[in-house]
Amino acid sequence: MLAGAYQAIFDVIFHNQLQLVPGGRAFDMWRTTPVPLFLSFYFFNLTNPKEFENGAVPLLEEIGPYCYREYHEKQNLTFYPNYTVSFYQERWWIWDEDRSGNRTQQDELIILNTVPVSAAWSVRHNNALLSGLSAFLDQVEEQLTLTTTVGELIFEGVEDPLLTWMANNFNNTFLPNLDLPPGLTDYDKFGWFYKRNQSLTYDGLWNMFTGEDTLDHVGTVDLWNQRNETDYFETPCNRVNGSAGEMWPPNQQKDAIYFYSSDLCMTMKLFYEKEIRDPNDLPGYRYQGTNHSFSYDGVLDGDECYCVDETCAPVGTLNAESCRMGAPAFISFPHFYDADPELLANVTGMAPDEEKHAFYIDLLPETGTPVSVAARMQINMHVRPYSGNRLGLGRVKLLANVPEVILPVLWFEEVAGLPEDLAKEMNTLLFIMNSPTITIIFSVMVGLGVIGVLIGLIRHYKVC
């Protein structure tokens, strides 16, 4: 009975510590992340651009890392009666010279120009529009590959003649109402994180459970952009569910965890891999990405709902066209780790390695708290030739002879680990949760207190 009383008291304290309510320890850590975060970019320099344009296999050279310190803060918080909270997540990045070594943001790279590739892809079913696009690309002197700097590719943005023309003329022209992707109509420059640094709304509006009623769904997404479904994929792949990516309900099992990714517009699944000890000797479970992670509910069969406009992705990749502003972007793990081997056969310079390229999250299963994270993703572009029909209609000169390939462009990793002070707090909590010694001490103290009360009552009775 005494042990049961201790457990009831501990459960109340435990619940109060993990629920996300103002003034609580978990809330403060969640709102402004105290864990050091680092974002590193690795680019694939194209070393044979002219040969590639004429049909040769692309020769790629990985260059990096280019590192930034990352910061998070939740903004515009609103709490609701159903025990959820809505918020925007503001993120910003500051150049980390020490982690980048002798590399600088002014380093130059030769990369694929994704603008003409995306433009051709958007009208690929219409030969007349393809021919008109070809003439226009010639007129503005568009190039298939370009030399630019790392800083421009990430945050500053790369100027492009097609984007410049679209920004100045598209809304004032007599062109027909084409269904062009927002990547061509809403941006005046191209950059992988262009307009994202310190943006309040880029990651969308989140609504998640606070755990105030029960910890069974604490940290779980209820709505994203005020909906529990999106327009990016077909049902059921369009459902918004899983964790928001920073905490999970306590008492995780050795099976799998889910989280919703606003960058991928999908719920991603990581599978239990093994038990681990983090650098602070905290015990945890490792959940890792596999070739099933980009499939619905982790099952490869019946994944047609992730196909976009009848274009399906090879195993181990995701067709992110609808999510990434209409560009023919395919997402994978770095170096096509655990993906279809045919992807490796079409390029050179790939060397998949689990230790370097796997995506994993290490959790304390008792609390659902991450102790170590290595979130790694690769962006690839689907390049295909547009040689036209027998009459030449539909031929895009710039892309007439390129090989068909899913071409790696860059990969990045976001890494984090608990600092020593937080690890000590977690170790203390785990000791209290898992050690029978505390229960015994508590029971003895309560027992001694009861005995003391009884002795006092007996003495009082005798006096009386």
Side-chain angles (χ1 to χ4, degrees):
M1 183 178 70
L2 294 177
Y6 161 76
Q7 187 61 49
I9 294 172
F10 177 81
D11 287 346
V12 171
I13 297 173
F14 184 67
H15 182 271
N16 289 338
Q17 287 296 311
L18 290 187
Q19 62 179 321
L20 298 176
V21 293
R25 174 65 168 151
F27 175 84
D28 294 337
M29 294 175 62
W30 168 79
R31 182 170 187 177
T32 305
T33 306
V35 176
L37 301 169
F38 300 94
L39 180 67
S40 300
F41 292 90
Y42 298 80
F43 292 92
F44 292 110
N45 192 46
L46 184 61
T47 62
N48 63 335
K50 293 299 181 184
E51 293 81 0
F52 170 71
E53 191 170 340
N54 290 313
V57 172
L59 304 179
L60 302 175
E61 174 192 15
E62 180 182 287
I63 299 178
Y66 295 90
C67 304
Y68 296 81
R69 176 70 188 271
E70 180 171 333
Y71 299 87
H72 291 187
E73 185 169 348
K74 310 300 188 298
Q75 303 282 14
N76 296 9
L77 276 67
T78 304
F79 290 86
Y80 297 95
N82 66 339
Y83 306 110
T84 64
V85 58
S86 66
F87 60 92
Y88 289 104
Q89 177 163 257
E90 183 181 14
R91 296 199 284 176
W92 64 97
W93 296 268
I94 297 175
W95 173 250
D96 191 324
E97 185 175 351
D98 292 337
R99 283 178 169 259
S100 300
N102 59 357
R103 290 167 287 273
T104 74
Q105 297 179 91
Q106 287 70 48
D107 289 353
E108 289 192 340
L109 302 167
I110 300 175
I111 63 151
L112 175 75
N113 186 354
T114 62
V115 174
V117 173
S118 300
W121 182 265
S122 68
V123 295
R124 64 190 181 279
H125 299 304
N126 189 314
N127 281 340
L129 290 178
L130 284 171
S131 294
L133 174 65
S134 181
F136 182 76
L137 294 178
D138 273 350
Q139 180 181 344
V140 297
E141 299 182 350
E142 190 71 82
Q143 301 294 317
L144 180 61
T145 60
L146 53 88
T147 300
T148 186
T149 68
V150 168
E152 290 174 331
L153 273 175
I154 300 176
F155 292 116
E156 299 168 20
V158 180
E159 292 189 357
D160 179 88
L162 176 56
L163 292 182
T164 298
W165 188 91
M166 293 291 289
N168 294 332
N169 300 282
F170 183 73
N171 292 328
N172 302 314
T173 186
F174 56 85
L175 286 174
N177 185 23
L178 301 178
D179 187 22
L180 294 177
L184 294 177
T185 58
D186 297 349
Y187 287 82
D188 60 334
K189 293 182 181 180
F190 164 75
W192 294 109
F193 277 45
Y194 182 53
K195 293 187 177 183
R196 187 166 185 173
N197 207 352
Q198 291 191 296
S199 170
L200 184 64
T201 59
Y202 191 96
D203 288 342
L205 177 64
W206 296 82
N207 180 270
M208 59 174 269
F209 290 98
T210 63
E212 190 175 359
D213 55 337
T214 171
L215 295 179
D216 291 343
H217 55 201
V218 63
T220 300
V221 179
D222 185 32
L223 304 170
W224 182 64
N225 286 334
Q226 300 181 322
R227 299 178 58 190
N228 57 15
E229 293 184 343
T230 72
D231 298 325
Y232 300 113
F233 301 106
E234 299 295 328
T235 304
C237 294
N238 63 340
R239 293 173 183 165
V240 177
N241 51 38
S243 164
E246 292 182 309
M247 60 190 307
W248 280 259
N251 301 314
Q252 291 294 318
Q253 304 301 309
K254 294 181 177 180
D255 44 26
I257 59 173
Y258 296 80
F259 68 93
Y260 188 78
S261 169
S262 59
D263 282 324
L264 303 181
C265 309
M266 68 167 291
T267 297
M268 191 171 172
K269 186 174 186 179
L270 303 181
F271 298 84
Y272 172 79
E273 175 71 15
K274 61 184 178 181
E275 295 185 5
I276 60 95
R277 287 269 178 181
D278 87 329
N280 295 299
D281 202 36
L282 283 169
Y285 292 170
R286 172 160 296 180
Y287 299 90
Q288 187 165 304
T290 73
N291 57 9
H292 290 220
S293 292
F294 297 109
S295 61
Y296 178 70
D297 202 24
V299 179
L300 293 182
D301 294 335
D303 270 356
E304 291 80 8
C305 57
Y306 274 129
C307 301
V308 179
D309 196 15
E310 300 181 356
T311 301
C312 301
V315 172
T317 68
L318 173 75
N319 183 352
E321 173 188 351
S322 57
C323 177
R324 294 292 87 194
M325 297 176 289
F330 283 71
I331 308 300
S332 69
F333 297 125
H335 288 245
F336 293 128
Y337 170 72
D338 212 17
D340 188 336
E342 187 176 346
L343 298 171
L344 292 169
N346 296 327
V347 298
T348 63
M350 299 293 100
D353 183 315
E354 180 177 3
E355 185 175 344
K356 296 178 181 178
H357 304 136
F359 185 125
Y360 68 82
I361 296 176
D362 295 337
L363 291 184
L364 291 180
E366 295 91 343
T367 65
T369 306
V371 296
S372 182
V373 175
R376 296 160 172 156
M377 289 291 181
Q378 179 169 295
I379 299 176
N380 315 280
M381 293 295 291
H382 185 182
V383 182
R384 52 161 286 189
Y386 297 87
S387 53
N389 58 23
R390 288 180 297 177
L391 301 176
L393 193 64
R395 183 176 186 271
V396 179
K397 180 181 177 183
L398 193 65
L399 295 161
N401 301 313
V402 296
E404 180 155 9
V405 61
I406 294 182
L407 181 70
V409 179
L410 81 155
W411 70 273
F412 56 89
E413 63 176 353
E414 185 179 48
V415 298
L418 281 184
E420 188 176 352
D421 57 336
L422 290 179
K424 287 181 179 178
E425 290 185 27
M426 288 298 178
N427 259 321
T428 302
L429 178 61
L430 291 179
F431 177 75
I432 294 173
M433 293 177 67
N434 298 324
S435 175
T437 305
I438 302 300
T439 305
I440 295 170
I441 293 173
F442 177 84
S443 301
V444 170
M445 290 176 65
V446 173
L448 290 174
V450 171
I451 292 171
V453 171
L454 290 174
I455 292 173
L457 289 174
I458 292 171
R459 286 178 177 173
H460 180 71
Y461 173 76
K462 286 181 177 181
V463 170
C464 291

